[in-house]
Amino acid sequence: MASDEQPVCQIFSFQDCKTSPDPIFELPAQCLTSTPVPIVIDNGSFQTRAGWAAAELHSPRLLFRSVAARSRGAARSETQIGNDIPNLEPLRWLLKSQFDRNVVVNFEIQELIFDYVFTHLGIASEGSVDHPIVLTEAPCNPLHCRQMMSELLFECYRVPYVSYGVDSLYSFYHNNTLRNIQPPHTGIVLSSGYHCSHILPVINGRLDALNCKRVNVAGSQAASYLQRLLQLKYPGHLAAITLSRMEELLHEHSYTAVDYHEELEKWRSPEFYEREVHRMQLPFSGKLPGGCVSVEERQERRAQQLRRLQEINARRREEKLLQDQERLDRLMAVQELLEDGLLDQFHKSLVEFNMDSAEELQSYINKLQLAVEQGRQKLLHSDGAEGKTEVPELEQPIDEGDGVALMDPDFPEDTLPEKTANVVQPMFNMAEYHQLFVGTERLRCPEILFQPSLTGEDQMGLMETLQYVLARYTPEQQEVLVRNVFLTGGNMQYSGMKERVERELLAMRPFQSHFKVTMALQPALDAWYGARDWALEHPPGGVGGAAEGWISRQDYEEKGGEYLSEHCASNIFIPMKIAKAVPARPTEPLLTTLASTGAPPPVTMVTSALTPSCSTVAADVPVVTF
C-alpha cells in the first residue's frame, strides 16, 4: 500500500508583489502639543521604517526600501523613492542607495530619503523640522559619517535634538524590557541584516566596542548566491530569475539546517526530495507554437499564411510594374530626342543611362515594353482569380525577385500531410517547463552565514567569529555573556536559526556549561520599537539642557558634528583630536649661517627643541584598536 501512495508535489507561485505609493499622512492629533513629539527613523540598509514616538501610535507609519531611482541628468523632483517604484527589476540599473555595506556614505541620497520621510509624515513646516529625531546608525560608525549626518540634520533641517543608536541594541533593549529583565543588561547580540552581520557584546548596559566584530555576509549575499545557483541550473530562464524573486524565495521558502551535512544526506533520498522540493511556477503563456492542433486549425492557419504571401507578391508586382513603366517613359523621351534631331541632348542622355548607341536603347525599350505587358497580364490574372482557390495562384510562375524567397517550403500540400484526429502525439507540458525545482538551494543559501567559503569568501563564519569574541573574555565573563545570546535582524528570520545557534554553542562551550539563546519577537521591526520605547522613556530637553542620549543644537555647535551623547543603545564615543600643524622653526637659517662660518652646529639644542613638540602631537592623537 505504501508503494501506491504518490508523493505530494508542492507547487508555489511567485507573488511578484508590486508596491503602491505611500500616502501623505496628516499630522496626528497626538503630535499637536506644545512639546514636539520625536520622530523615530530606523535607517536600515534594506528597509527604512519611520514613525512617531507616541504612546497611542504603536507601529511605524512608513516602511519602504532604502533605494532611489533617478536617471542621469534628471531633476531632483523626478527621483523615485522607495514605494514610489512599483517594480524594482526594470529600474535595477538605476537604483542607488545611501549605504556602502552598512555605513551611510551617499548623503545626497540620504537627504532625498529624509525629504520623503518628513513629507509623508505630514510635516509641512518650511525650512525646518521642529521635532527631535531618533536615528539608527551602524555599530562603530565612523566619526566622519556621523559628522556628515549631524550636519545634514542640524544645518539642512534645523532639528532641535538628535539621538543616535545602534539598531540591534535597540532591539536588544526592547526585548529585554518585554522579558522583564532589569537593567543594566548584559549579553551578546548576533545581528544579521542585508549587507553584513555583527557580533556585539554588551556589558552592564554598554556596548563593548573594542570587541565588536563584523562579518561581511548577510541577506544580499545569500540572494545573489541563490540567483547564481538557479541561473546555472536553468539557463533557459535567466531573465525570469530576478533578484527580487530570489529575495522572496529566501524569505518564504528557505530554512537553516541544524546539521548541514546530515540534512544534505537526507536530500539524497528520492522520496525526501519529492516531498520537500518546492516547485516555483514562473509565469508563462499556455499557447504552444507548433503544438498539437486540430486539422481545421492547421488548415485555417495555412490559409491565412497563403493569403498574406499572396498580398505580399501582388504588392511587389505592382511596385515592379510602376518602376518598369517609369523607366520606359524616360527611355521613350530619350528616343524622341533622336527623332526630333536634338543629337547633342540625345548623346548626353545616352551617357546618363550608360548606353553607347541608339540600337542598344531600342533593344532595352523592347525588353521593358515586354516586361510591362507581362506584369499587367499577371495583375489582371491575379485580380480575376481572387474567388478561386489560393494554392493554384501561388503555383503560377513568378518572375525572379517577386517574393519567392518569402515562401516557406512547408506551405505546399506535399510537405504538410494532414494527420487524422485520432493520432496520438507527444504532449509537451509547458507549465512544468516553466517550473524551478528549488531543492538543496533552500538550505545552501542560508548556510553561507555560517560557512562563507561556499561563496568564495575568505573569512570566518558567524559562529566562528562568536567563538573568537568570547575567547577575549575571562571564563566568568563568558558565562555571563552566553546566558543572554540574542538573535535579531531581518536575515535571522529563517526557520531553524535558533536551533542551529544552540547546537553550535553546545559544541563550542565547555561541558555542562549553561547558555540561553533568544530570538527577537519581530527581528526586522524590533529595532524601531526599541527606539520608540527609548524615546518615550527619555524625552529630550529639560532644565539642564539636553537629556542623556540627546544631542542639542548647542552641543553640535560647541562639540562638533562627530559628537555623540551615549546611552544604553548607542555606540561608544571616542573623540578624535587632530593636532595642529607645528609652525616652522627659525633654526634653519641659523644652521646655515653656522655651517658657512665653519662652526659646529648645535645638534643638542635642536634635538631638545624637537622633543616637546613631538610629545605634544603624540599625546593629542589617541590610538584606538578595534
Side-chain angles (χ1 to χ4, degrees), residues 201-431:
V202 179
I203 298 177
N204 295 327
R206 285 292 188 266
L207 176 68
D208 185 8
L210 292 177
N211 292 319
C212 292
K213 295 298 174 184
R214 184 179 77 176
V215 179
N216 292 323
V217 175
S220 63
Q221 288 81 8
S224 300
Y225 182 47
L226 179 57
Q227 185 182 34
R228 294 204 308 270
L229 289 177
L230 291 182
Q231 284 182 343
L232 288 172
K233 190 175 181 180
Y234 298 99
H237 301 306
L238 294 181
I241 302 174
T242 61
L243 202 57
S244 297
R245 286 176 175 166
M246 297 305 101
E247 291 171 358
E248 180 183 337
L249 267 178
L250 282 176
H251 297 159
E252 303 295 336
H253 303 275
S254 297
Y255 68 96
T256 302
V258 178
D259 188 322
Y260 179 64
H261 296 287
E262 181 181 340
E263 191 73 14
L264 284 181
E265 287 296 325
K266 293 180 182 179
W267 282 90
R268 292 179 179 273
S269 169
E271 294 80 9
F272 184 88
Y273 179 87
E274 289 296 329
R275 186 174 65 252
E276 297 296 331
V277 68
H278 284 196
R279 304 185 182 193
M280 304 305 300
Q281 184 67 62
L282 295 173
F284 68 98
S285 174
K287 208 168 183 180
L288 281 175
C292 183
V293 295
S294 63
V295 177
E296 293 78 8
E297 291 178 353
R298 188 164 60 251
Q299 289 179 347
E300 178 63 25
R301 188 180 305 168
R302 182 176 56 191
Q304 291 176 1
Q305 293 172 341
L306 292 178
R307 279 195 297 269
R308 193 159 53 246
L309 275 178
Q310 182 182 6
E311 294 172 359
I312 293 174
N313 289 335
R315 186 166 58 252
R316 289 201 170 190
R317 288 194 190 99
E318 292 178 1
E319 293 174 357
K320 187 173 184 301
L321 179 60
L322 290 176
Q323 293 175 359
D324 290 345
Q325 183 64 49
E326 180 182 358
R327 188 170 181 82
L328 179 61
D329 293 341
R330 293 172 60 191
L331 293 178
M332 293 295 293
V334 174
Q335 193 176 35
E336 289 177 1
L337 293 176
L338 177 61
E339 295 174 356
D340 294 341
L342 303 175
L343 298 180
D344 293 340
Q345 297 182 11
F346 173 73
H347 288 297
K348 289 181 181 180
S349 300
L350 283 182
V351 172
E352 292 176 0
F353 284 102
N354 198 20
M355 295 183 184
D356 298 330
S357 62
E359 292 77 9
E360 186 178 356
L361 174 64
Q362 185 62 46
S363 173
Y364 205 85
I365 289 176
N366 294 336
K367 291 181 180 179
L368 279 179
Q369 287 176 341
L370 180 60
V372 168
E373 185 63 27
Q374 289 180 352
R376 288 174 180 171
Q377 293 295 330
K378 289 177 182 178
L379 284 178
L380 291 174
H381 186 271
S382 62
D383 293 339
E386 284 181 356
K388 300 180 181 179
T389 57
E390 295 162 343
V391 177
E393 164 66 25
L394 290 174
E395 289 176 351
Q396 295 181 5
I398 301 175
D399 289 342
E400 184 179 355
D402 278 358
V404 179
L406 293 173
M407 296 182 63
D408 196 318
D410 291 339
F411 291 149
E413 289 287 339
D414 54 345
T415 60
L416 285 174
E418 295 184 0
K419 299 179 181 179
T420 58
N422 57 0
V423 175
V424 178
Q425 297 183 2
M427 296 294 293
F428 180 74
N429 194 337
M430 181 64 75

Side-chain angles (χ1 to χ4, degrees), residues 8 17 58 71 83 87 108 162 205 209 244 317 333 338 347 373 376 388 413 438 506 513 535 572 580 587:
V8 179
C17 297
H58 300 288
S71 303
N83 291 336
N87 187 7
E108 181 184 1
V162 173
S244 297
R317 288 194 190 99
L338 177 61
H347 288 297
E373 185 63 27
R376 288 174 180 171
K388 300 180 181 179
E413 289 287 339
V438 185
L506 184 64
S513 63
I572 304 301
K580 296 182 180 179
T587 54

Side-chain angles (χ1 to χ4, degrees), residues 500-575:
R500 174 63 178 271
V501 174
E502 289 176 341
R503 183 183 182 277
E504 297 281 351
L505 274 173
L506 184 64
M508 183 190 309
R509 299 297 299 149
F511 179 64
Q512 290 186 344
S513 63
H514 300 281
F515 58 86
K516 183 177 182 181
V517 180
T518 307
M519 175 72 74
L521 294 179
Q522 300 181 77
L525 289 177
D526 277 353
W528 186 89
Y529 286 113
R532 185 203 62 172
D533 294 346
W534 181 90
L536 289 174
E537 295 178 7
H538 302 81
V543 180
E548 179 189 7
W550 291 97
I551 306 170
S552 65
R553 184 171 185 84
Q554 182 179 359
D555 293 333
Y556 165 74
E557 292 173 350
E558 292 178 357
K559 302 175 183 178
E562 69 275 5
Y563 172 68
L564 173 67
S565 179
E566 296 181 10
H567 57 90
C568 62
S570 72
N571 281 305
I572 304 301
F573 177 56
I574 303 176

